Amino acid sequence: QVQLVESGGGLVHPGGSLRLSCAASGTNISINAMGWYRQAPGQQRELVAVITTTGSRNYADSVKGRFTISRDNSPYAVSLRMSSLKPEDTAVYYCNLNGQDQYYHDMDYWGKGTLVTVSS
């Protein structure tokens, strides 16, 4: 089974910065992309940023210019650098891996989430 382990969440003041990391292990699928989603209390989970195996990146409009997603290969991992944080960035952030198994089935794996709280 593919496992995703997130780290880096915590409490930060508005305008501050945090770096989230996600490491994947046990994968036996062809990876299409990895990314970060977030879910605030009582709200729907939303996409924050994704990066494909070719290095193409997409960001939610609300985080463009403030967040940067990167992919690492040794070990295989992604990170999310967050700056100029706002209270509305407060959420549980989830790492996501999308790919295809040996039968070409689309698969999504999720981490357990890491809490980011932006507050004065």
Side-chain angles (χ1 to χ4, degrees):
Q1 290 290 323
V2 173
Q3 295 186 45
L4 303 175
V5 180
E6 303 123 325
S7 63
L11 175 65
V12 64
H13 289 179
S17 300
L18 281 176
R19 179 179 180 270
L20 305 182
S21 297
C22 175
S25 63
T27 180
N28 64 347
I29 66 172
S30 178
I31 299 173
N32 295 322
M34 294 185 69
W36 290 91
Y37 290 68
R38 68 186 181 187
Q39 186 170 21
Q43 301 184 23
Q44 296 180 328
R45 187 174 299 186
E46 63 178 356
L47 184 146
V48 177
V50 295
I51 184 168
T52 70
T53 54
T54 62
S56 179
R57 302 172 182 180
N58 288 296
Y59 297 93
D61 288 341
S62 60
V63 307
K64 286 182 178 178
R66 300 189 298 118
F67 291 12
T68 301
I69 188 169
S70 301
R71 181 169 58 87
D72 300 318
N73 294 312
S74 184
Y76 194 79
V78 292
S79 64
L80 184 69
R81 293 190 292 109
M82 306 182 295
S83 62
S84 301
L85 284 162
K86 305 174 181 179
E88 50 263 46
D89 294 318
T90 297
V92 176
Y93 285 70
Y94 296 91
C95 183
N96 168 262
L97 185 154
N98 175 264
Q100 292 183 313
D101 65 14
Q102 60 182 330
Y103 305 109
Y104 307 103
H105 296 159
D106 187 75
M107 302 289 291
D108 278 283
Y109 298 89
W110 297 90
K112 294 181 179 180
T114 184
L115 177 63
V116 173
T117 303
V118 185
S119 176
S120 298

